[in-house]
Each structure stands twice: as C-alpha cells, then as structure tokens.
Amino acid sequence: MTEPRTEPDVRKGLAGVVADTTAISKVDPETNSLLYRGYPVQDLAASQPFEAVAHLLWHGELPTGAELAELERLERSLRPMDDRTRRAIDDVPLEAHPMDVLRTAVSQLGGLDDTLGRPDGVLDPELNQGRAVYLFAQLPGIVAYSQRRRHGLEPVAPRDDLDYARNFLWQTFGEVPDDAVVDAFRVSLVLYAEHSFNASTFTARVIASTLSDVYSAVTGAIGALKGPLHGGANEAVMHAFAEIGTADRAEAWLDEALAAKRKVMGFGHRVYRHGDSRVPSMKAALDALVAHYDRPDLADLYAALESAFVERKGIYPNLDYPAGPAYHLMGFDTPTFTPLFVAARVTGWTAHVAEQQAANSLIRPLSQYVGPERREVPPQ
Ligand SMILES: CC(=O)SCCNC(=O)CCNC(=O)[C@H](O)C(C)(C)COP(=O)(O)OP(=O)(O)OC[C@H]1O[C@@H](n2cnc3c(N)ncnc32)[C@H](O)[C@@H]1OP(=O)(O)O
Ligand SMILES: O=C([O-])CC(=O)C(=O)O
C-alpha cells in the first residue's frame, strides 16, 4: 500500500517564514523596535551622520573618527557622474517614472564596471565593498538629476565640501537649505536605510544567491521597491493628500476608499502589528518641517487621516506615512520620493548582498502544483 501523500504547507507571501539568519538588523514586533547591528534606530537617527550609519551596516560597528573621515573622503571622491551614465539617463523618456531612470542608471553602472570581468571579479568581497560605496556615492547625483531634468533643469555638480545629506540637497535644488531641513532629511535616510528581509532586500538576496553581481541585485531590488505595497507607498501618501485637500474632508475620503476596498497607502505592515518603530522619529522630523515652513494645514490633514484610519481599521501608519509629506515640504516632487528611499536603502541592500554571499545557499523555494493532472498531448 502506498502512503497517502501529505500536501506541503503553503505559506502565501512567505508570511511568517524565517528564510535565513541575519546580523544586520532586528525588527521586533513584540517590543516595536528596530536595531541596526544592535543599536536602536531612533538613537542612531538622533545623533549619527548618514555616512556613519552606512559604515555600521556594512562593517558591523560604528566608525572611529579616522574610519569616518576615510569613508567621507572616498564617498566625496566618487560622486561625479560619468558622461555615459548621464547619456543613459537622458535616453529614458521624460515621462518615465524616476524609479525607471534609477533602475536604468544602476544597470548602466554595472555595465561600466570592468572589474566585474576579472577572475572572481563578481564575488570578491573587497571589490564589492568598493562597489557599495560607489553606488552610495553615485545615487544622490542620479536621483537629483532625474528630478531636475523633468523640470527642464541642468544637473548640478557635486560639492566635496559638503556632507552626504547636504550635497544631496545641493545637487537637487542648487542650494543648501537650513539646518532644520537638512536634519529632517538626514533622519529620513537613517530610518530608511535597513529593515531586515523586506521585499526589496529579499529580492537583492535572491539575486545575490545565484552568485550574480551586486549591480544586478540592486537593480532588481529597485524594481521590487517601486511597487505601492512597498516603497512606492510614500508617493501614494502624497497623492492621497492631494486628492483629499483639507483635513475636514479626510473622513469622507477614507470612507469612500474603504467602501471601494481600496488600500490606503502608508498604513499597515507585514511585521509590525502595533505601529512602525520608525514612525515617532520621522513624525518628529515632519513636525520640525511643518514648523519651519509654517504649514499647520498639512499637519492637520496628517492627523485627521491617521485618526480616522486607526479608528476604523485599528491599523497604524508605517514609515512612508510621515516620510511622504516630509519630502514634499523639503521640495522634492512626488515621483522622487521612492528614489530617495532607494538612495538610503542601497546601504542595507549592499550589506545584505555581502552577508548572503559570505555564507551562500541558493534561494529556491518549492511550490505546490495545482494545475491539470498529467495528460496526453492530442495527436496532430
Ligand atoms: C516602508 C514600507 O515598505 S512599509 C509598507 C508600505 N506599504 C503600504 O503602506 C501599502 C498599504 N499597506 C498594505 O497594503 C499592507 O498593510 C501591507 C502590504 C504593507 C502588509 O500587508 P499584509 O501583512 O500582507 O496584510 P494584508 O494586506 O493581508 O492586510 C490584512 C488586512 O488588513 C487590511 N489592510 C492592511 N493594510 C491596509 C491598508 N493600508 N488599507 C486598507 N486595508 C488594509 C487588508 O485589507 C486586510 O483586510 P482583510 O483581512 O479584511 O482582507
Ligand atoms: O519590512 C518591510 O516589509 C517593509 C519596510 O518597512 C521596509 O522595507 O522598510
């Protein structure tokens, strides 16, 4: 007698599946906390330059003064854009989404890296760490130019007398804003940098697990981040705010959205059930911007939609909810919001590519087949 076949346990969306170990960050829904290499993210956001957080994610420790100075020197030296990258960007239609521009540009950077062709050039950890810093240094110029060209503006050359956050704003707007704005921007970058096995990071790890190169992993991760269930939500929040208009209309708008079974972007999370650990820090940064730009109307709309949503669904905002309006106040146009997330998250993605390849196992789950049983091909 043959044993009855037991069906494998299908975990749709891999919900609740622990796919591997990681030493990079810990998302703890029980304590509603997020640690980068052991440090609470809100403490890093309160005090650390983004360059120091990047070093922490890559190397496991905060940098010494000398290490930070060396990373700053290297990052600043790697900022200028190659003409061939600019041409690749210019070939993308102006109407295309800036995430498409970014995906193309990162792919181009991979094509331009001739060290990939060396023996073991794809997997060499030292070369890959250099590529991580290169991507980190290049992305602000690419994101900034992508916004500027859509507004008919020329690129702005990077300045090596400015830190990462200030130079990013300089290259986007051609001026460095007040410290209050710079600081809110820096906080957003720290908070967006890393979040364990989220969809885009997992994508990067899947690609890295085939022993493909880091540019391919980052290009794929950009594609995963673009969707509105993931990074695209920060843009969708601003579209919703634009549709709603004023705080007094938030409840009616929400009721209509929920009646139509539309998801409200910027709320909910696969892992956190009682609120996203990063929201308090980002909300404080948003409050500072609201005060700086004197926009209490935006704060009112934010609060009205949040309280109506929490009251109706018992689901809390995620990081994209305060980040969207914060980027709007800083002057970024809405399609640039998710590219800003990319620029920050490239630090986490590249740390995960290194971690994956240091102890690799091809990521290849099973599926349960539910199509037709075996059948004969009809004769011709
Ligand atoms: C930085 C980041 O990437 S954070 C995530 C950004 N994404 C968003 O903001 C998109 C909006 N949010 C969502 O779509 C979801 O909350 C997700 C995708 C983030 C997580 O979802 P999951 O864990 O898969 O839960 P799921 O989508 O199944 O939601 C569970 C229930 O809550 C509801 N729900 C969850 N989030 C929302 C939301 N934002 N709006 C309306 N309903 C929601 C679902 O409709 C579902 O209800 P049902 O059981 O009656 O069908
Ligand atoms: O963890 C997730 O699923 C999504 C998220 O918040 C992030 O990537 O920052």
Side-chain angles (χ1 to χ4, degrees), residues 110 116 122 128 131 207-208 211-218 353 357:
L116 286 172
V122 169
N128 271 341
R131 291 169 186 140
I207 295 171
L211 303 186
S212 183
D213 66 275
V214 66
Y215 301 97
S216 299
V218 171
V353 167
Q357 292 186 333

Side-chain angles (χ1 to χ4, degrees), residues 27 191-192 194-201 225 229-230 269-272 276 278 318-319 341 345:
V27 180
L191 298 175
Y192 264 140
E194 161 59 14
H195 212 240
S196 74
F197 278 27
N198 59 83
S200 56
T201 300
L225 193 73
L229 295 189
H230 192 11
H269 200 275
R270 172 59 70 77
V271 183
Y272 298 117
D276 180 327
R278 302 160 292 183
N318 58 54
L319 174 58
F341 191 161
R345 186 56 61 90

Side-chain angles (χ1 to χ4, degrees), residues 95-215:
E95 306 72 41
H97 192 281
M99 286 293 277
D100 301 339
V101 174
L102 230 61
R103 203 187 51 228
T104 301
V106 170
S107 189
Q108 171 80 340
L109 294 181
L112 296 176
D113 185 342
D114 56 14
T115 64
L116 286 172
R118 289 188 197 162
D120 205 32
V122 169
L123 298 178
D124 184 286
E126 222 168 289
L127 284 175
N128 271 341
Q129 181 48 39
R131 291 169 186 140
V133 181
Y134 183 54
L135 284 162
F136 176 61
Q138 285 280 296
L139 277 166
I142 294 167
V143 174
Y145 178 46
S146 171
Q147 167 159 319
R148 290 182 69 82
R149 69 192 277 270
R150 275 179 294 107
H151 295 274
L153 301 169
E154 284 295 307
V156 172
R159 272 176 53 185
D160 62 12
D161 60 329
L162 296 176
D163 66 17
Y164 177 95
R166 283 186 173 77
N167 177 67
F168 203 144
L169 295 163
W170 160 256
Q171 286 202 261
T172 308
F173 302 112
E175 58 187 32
V176 181
D178 288 352
D179 284 354
V181 179
V182 174
D183 205 52
F185 184 53
R186 181 195 60 76
V187 166
S188 77
L189 296 169
V190 173
L191 298 175
Y192 264 140
E194 161 59 14
H195 212 240
S196 74
F197 278 27
N198 59 83
S200 56
T201 300
F202 193 63
T203 302
R205 288 190 75 126
V206 169
I207 295 171
S209 84
T210 70
L211 303 186
S212 183
D213 66 275
V214 66
Y215 301 97

Side-chain angles (χ1 to χ4, degrees), residues 18-350:
V18 178
D20 205 343
T21 59
T22 180
I24 302 171
S25 69
K26 178 178 179 184
V27 180
D28 188 346
E30 297 309 318
T31 55
N32 187 27
S33 65
L34 169 62
L35 307 177
Y36 290 175
R37 304 279 191 187
Y39 294 109
V41 74
Q42 65 276 15
D43 296 350
L44 294 168
S47 64
Q48 293 297 315
F50 188 48
E51 294 90 325
V53 173
H55 184 285
L56 171 69
L57 293 173
W58 289 324
H59 302 291
E61 296 297 337
L62 283 166
T64 62
E67 285 168 339
L68 182 59
E70 174 52 19
L71 175 59
E72 286 172 351
R73 186 203 60 74
L74 185 60
E75 186 269 317
R76 291 174 196 207
S77 74
L78 294 172
R79 287 174 183 171
M81 189 187 289
D82 190 301
D83 282 345
R84 291 168 296 179
T85 307
R86 178 168 174 185
R87 286 201 295 275
I89 293 174
D90 285 338
D91 277 346
V92 182
L94 282 175
E95 306 72 41
H97 192 281
M99 286 293 277
D100 301 339
V101 174
L102 230 61
R103 203 187 51 228
T104 301
V106 170
S107 189
Q108 171 80 340
L109 294 181
L112 296 176
D113 185 342
D114 56 14
T115 64
L116 286 172
R118 289 188 197 162
D120 205 32
V122 169
L123 298 178
D124 184 286
E126 222 168 289
L127 284 175
N128 271 341
Q129 181 48 39
R131 291 169 186 140
V133 181
Y134 183 54
L135 284 162
F136 176 61
Q138 285 280 296
L139 277 166
I142 294 167
V143 174
Y145 178 46
S146 171
Q147 167 159 319
R148 290 182 69 82
R149 69 192 277 270
R150 275 179 294 107
H151 295 274
L153 301 169
E154 284 295 307
V156 172
R159 272 176 53 185
D160 62 12
D161 60 329
L162 296 176
D163 66 17
Y164 177 95
R166 283 186 173 77
N167 177 67
F168 203 144
L169 295 163
W170 160 256
Q171 286 202 261
T172 308
F173 302 112
E175 58 187 32
V176 181
D178 288 352
D179 284 354
V181 179
V182 174
D183 205 52
F185 184 53
R186 181 195 60 76
V187 166
S188 77
L189 296 169
V190 173
L191 298 175
Y192 264 140
E194 161 59 14
H195 212 240
S196 74
F197 278 27
N198 59 83
S200 56
T201 300
F202 193 63
T203 302
R205 288 190 75 126
V206 169
I207 295 171
S209 84
T210 70
L211 303 186
S212 183
D213 66 275
V214 66
Y215 301 97
S216 299
V218 171
T219 303
I222 291 172
L225 193 73
K226 184 183 178 192
L229 295 189
H230 192 11
N234 62 7
E235 297 178 33
V237 169
M238 216 50 230
H239 291 309
F241 277 23
E243 243 178 87
I244 299 168
T246 49
D248 56 312
R249 294 168 48 141
E251 288 205 44
W253 179 91
L254 178 62
D255 288 336
E256 213 183 296
L258 293 178
K261 302 237 171 294
R262 272 169 36 210
K263 282 231 168 133
V264 182
M265 302 309 173
F267 290 90
H269 200 275
R270 172 59 70 77
V271 183
Y272 298 117
R273 292 292 161 192
H274 311 289
D276 180 327
S277 60
R278 302 160 292 183
V279 166
S281 305
M282 195 62 228
K283 176 62 168 50
L286 173 61
D287 288 345
L289 292 166
V290 162
H292 181 80
Y293 291 109
D294 193 21
R295 288 290 307 277
D297 57 307
L298 196 67
D300 291 347
L301 174 49
Y302 180 100
L305 183 61
E306 177 183 5
S307 63
F309 193 85
V310 174
E311 190 188 300
R312 281 164 184 67
K313 300 287 287 183
I315 296 174
Y316 295 90
N318 58 54
L319 174 58
D320 289 325
Y321 190 61
Y327 286 150
H328 174 74
L329 287 178
M330 288 175 206
F332 291 103
D333 64 7
T334 304
T336 299
F337 296 178
T338 317
L340 296 170
F341 191 161
V342 169
R345 186 56 61 90
V346 78
T347 55
W349 288 337
T350 48

